[in-house]
Amino acid sequence: MRVSSQGVTVVALLADPDAPTEIAQRMAQTLTARLADKSGQGRRFDVEVVSEPFTAGTEDLPTLMRRIMDRGRAENWDIVVALTDLPLHTHGRKLVVNLSHEHGLALLSLPSLGGFRLYTRARRAVEEAVLGLAGPKATGAEGPPQSQPLLGPFAGRLAPIHPVPVGGEETADLRYVVSGPRGYLRVLVGMVRANRPWRLVPGLSKALAAALATGAVATVNSTVWTLAEALSAPRLVIAMIGSVGVMIGWLIVDAQLWHRSAEGSLEARQRARLYNASTVVTVGIGVLVCYVGLMVINLVWALFILNDQVFASMTRTPLHATGYWTLSWFVASVATVGGALGSGLESDEAIRAAAYSKREQERRLMLQDDHGDYLA
């Protein structure tokens, strides 16, 4: 790593669009001061944020590191820390960070930090990476430089992080990964957070309109009253699970959200399983939010429209608080099935835009275009 002639270490945060850029811009507001405080010895830092899709067209680690290195050489940067919301893999493991002390480079995969306290973890990870790249390095027995351990900002109860060997022909000289079921879970949660599943709700406007119409009609139907009163709690739970499952499956199939890998390697299959799992969880959270919303709306509608005497005469059961709750619960299940049919009116692009982050949309579009190259 070089240091600029003015004695200021120039740090570039090279961020993929969308969430990584938002995190980098927020981080840059305080990173300069925090790095100066932690480094000591009067060292000064200048932090820049550059937003561009440096991962476009590839998820290959050596290729990404070469891109970052070429980008750093073209600018007056001493250290480059690249942030992406793509889950990156190396030899069947999920990458946390790739470091090159010789070239002053770091590549951080945000999903590996999990879905909770993401900004705080990302900020600590970037700080540790920059200080490790800027600080003195001891040379190991086999030559590659060794930085201070980066376990602090990454490690957690659910996903132990550990270093793995790096091939001599690669740009990186130090790498941390997560592996095993706990690592898989943490990356999955990080991917779901990057997709922001709550955005699926406004993206399903036509489906919600169909569900609300179905619920409004079902609430005043005496046959539905009788069924709701006759159903036990386990059957209501089964109806809920079934309706939510139908909605999730219909959205995934109708919008072609299921990922099929064209490669036959073990790593490609692992990536496909991870992407599909994140799709199911993302869509599932969005559908559950819609379901809860339907329950609340149906409850309010039932409180407003139902008459105690009419209800009792049709069901031979007095209408009480439990009855309102049971009816709203059952109607939400019926309405969700109606919403699944209404979701067919949505465009596939609208559903994908609601279900995935911008970078994930680009990745899936690239796969649909037979792995076309996004770079000039």
Side-chain angles (χ1 to χ4, degrees):
M1 186 211 76
R2 68 185 191 280
V3 179
S4 60
S5 57
Q6 294 81 10
V8 178
T9 302
V10 179
V11 179
L13 301 181
L14 181 64
D16 261 337
D18 205 17
T21 295
E22 295 173 8
I23 291 174
Q25 290 174 340
R26 180 182 173 188
M27 193 183 303
Q29 298 175 6
T30 58
L31 189 59
T32 300
R34 292 179 65 90
L35 289 173
D37 290 342
K38 290 190 174 185
S39 64
Q41 301 175 350
R43 173 170 285 178
R44 294 181 296 161
F45 294 85
D46 182 20
V47 178
E48 303 176 9
V49 177
V50 178
S51 178
E52 60 183 52
F54 69 93
T55 58
T58 185
E59 298 177 29
D60 179 63
L61 280 183
T63 301
L64 292 177
M65 291 297 287
R66 285 195 298 270
R67 287 184 182 179
I68 299 168
M69 181 172 61
D70 293 341
R71 193 69 176 85
R73 286 175 176 173
E75 303 288 345
N76 187 31
W77 298 335
D78 303 314
I79 295 176
V80 184
V81 180
L83 293 84
T84 181
D85 56 358
L86 282 183
L88 299 176
H89 300 76
T90 174
H91 304 293
R93 301 182 178 94
K94 286 77 178 174
L95 177 76
V96 179
V97 63
N98 229 27
L99 297 161
S100 172
H101 295 85
E102 178 183 358
H103 303 286
L105 309 176
L107 171 60
L108 177 64
S109 177
L110 294 175
S112 65
L113 302 180
F116 306 102
R117 301 176 63 243
L118 177 60
Y119 170 74
T120 300
R121 290 176 175 176
R123 187 197 66 206
R124 291 176 179 174
V126 170
E127 290 174 1
E128 196 73 13
V130 171
L131 294 174
L133 294 173
K137 299 172 285 294
T139 302
E142 298 182 1
Q146 303 295 322
S147 174
Q148 296 176 356
L150 293 177
L151 295 180
F154 302 114
R157 289 188 302 110
L158 297 179
I161 291 173
H162 54 90
V164 293
V166 180
E169 70 282 357
E170 295 190 46
T171 304
D173 50 49
L174 187 59
R175 176 177 297 155
Y176 287 90
V177 300
V178 291
S179 57
R182 292 179 295 176
Y184 181 94
L185 177 61
R186 190 169 197 175
V187 174
L188 176 61
V189 173
M191 292 176 66
V192 172
R193 186 196 185 284
N195 287 338
R196 302 175 184 179
W198 51 89
R199 299 187 303 185
L200 189 64
V201 178
L204 292 175
S205 57
K206 294 183 178 66
L208 287 174
L212 289 172
T214 303
V217 173
T219 302
V220 297
N221 188 296
S222 59
T223 303
V224 174
W225 300 348
T226 303
L227 286 173
E229 285 297 314
L231 289 175
S232 61
R235 288 180 178 270
L236 287 170
V237 172
I238 292 173
M240 178 185 68
I241 295 174
S243 62
V244 169
V246 167
M247 184 71 161
I248 294 172
W250 180 261
L251 286 173
I252 291 175
V253 172
D254 186 58
Q256 300 178 358
L257 303 181
W258 198 254
H259 173 72
R260 292 180 176 85
S261 176
E263 304 175 26
S265 65
L266 175 62
E267 187 165 317
R269 292 196 299 270
Q270 289 178 341
R271 285 200 302 266
R273 286 196 293 267
L274 187 60
Y275 281 123
N276 288 330
S278 71
T279 296
V280 171
V281 176
T282 297
V283 176
I285 291 175
V287 171
L288 284 174
V289 171
C290 292
Y291 188 94
V292 173
L294 287 172
M295 284 187 63
V296 173
I297 293 173
N298 291 332
L299 179 60
V300 173
W301 174 242
L303 289 170
F304 175 76
I305 203 70
L306 292 186
N307 180 277
D308 295 3
Q309 295 179 349
V310 174
F311 185 92
S313 66
M314 300 298 289
T315 64
R316 299 181 180 179
T317 303
L319 183 60
H320 42 71
T322 305
Y324 280 111
W325 168 253
T326 301
L327 179 62
S328 301
W329 189 2
F330 179 60
V331 169
S333 300
V334 175
T336 299
V337 175
L341 299 177
S343 67
L345 302 174
E346 308 280 0
S347 69
D348 294 348
E349 291 76 13
I351 295 177
R352 292 191 191 102
Y356 296 118
S357 66
K358 182 176 180 180
R359 183 63 192 93
E360 176 67 358
Q361 295 172 48
E362 294 174 351
R363 192 192 68 81
R364 288 177 176 263
L365 181 60
M366 177 194 68
L367 291 175
Q368 287 184 350
D369 292 339
D370 197 22
H371 301 277
D373 188 7
Y374 274 61
L375 294 182

